[in-house]
Amino acid sequence: FAMLHDIGKTRVPPDLLKKANLTYQQQKTIQDHTKIGYKIIKLEMGLPENIARVALEHHEHNDGSGYPNGVSGERINIETQIVSVASYFDDLTFNKTPYKVKNTKEALRVMLGTGTKRFAAKALYTFIHMFNYNDTVNFEEMVL
């Protein structure tokens, strides 16, 4: 179900997804991909609620500052907590964030800086422990 978390983006105009400076309305349109993804997974694909909730909640933050509903902490399902951490790592390593990182160590440092404001502690620290803290290999060198 992690692979489906951004399925709602398939129904957002592609030019918006690539645009750097968005108006408020354009930001809202992109943010709607979570609700659209939920509907696709639940209603069109007929998959279970916990899978659909990953698409809906993957931009919710542990402190309640995320979207679309501003839910926080334990109200965010465990599957979503895990996918949120992995998705942010993916965004960091492909330079889809304002943080430009060169290796895993830098990406993990950014994630730790964000900490439990954004992520559930157990999901974040479990993910962090999967890596070697001394990994300074450039991403280009990691590609098979």
Side-chain angles (χ1 to χ4, degrees), residues 54-109:
V54 170
L56 181 65
E57 298 178 340
H58 71 278
H59 285 287
E60 298 287 6
H61 296 168
N62 196 46
D63 68 358
S65 66
Y67 65 87
N69 299 316
V71 297
S72 62
E74 296 299 317
R75 294 184 58 210
I76 303 169
N77 75 10
I78 186 69
E79 293 94 339
T80 302
Q81 293 172 15
I82 294 165
V83 169
S84 292
V85 170
S87 178
Y88 191 64
F89 180 78
D90 182 62
D91 288 347
L92 283 168
T93 59
F94 282 92
N95 287 314
K96 296 179 186 176
T97 73
Y99 305 101
K100 301 305 176 203
V101 300
K102 296 178 185 159
N103 54 50
T104 301
K105 184 176 182 179
E106 289 180 15
L108 296 177
R109 187 177 298 128

Side-chain angles (χ1 to χ4, degrees), residues 30-45:
I30 290 176
Q31 288 178 356
D32 283 345
H33 83 277
T34 59
K35 295 175 189 175
I36 295 166
Y38 176 87
K39 289 176 184 175
I40 292 170
I41 293 169
K42 184 76 173 164
L43 303 176
E44 295 177 29
M45 299 174 85

Side-chain angles (χ1 to χ4, degrees), residues 128-142:
I128 297 290
H129 285 8
M130 291 186 329
F131 290 92
N132 178 350
Y133 291 109
N134 294 322
D135 184 5
T136 56
V137 175
N138 289 334
F139 293 127
E140 293 81 24
E141 296 173 31
M142 294 172 66

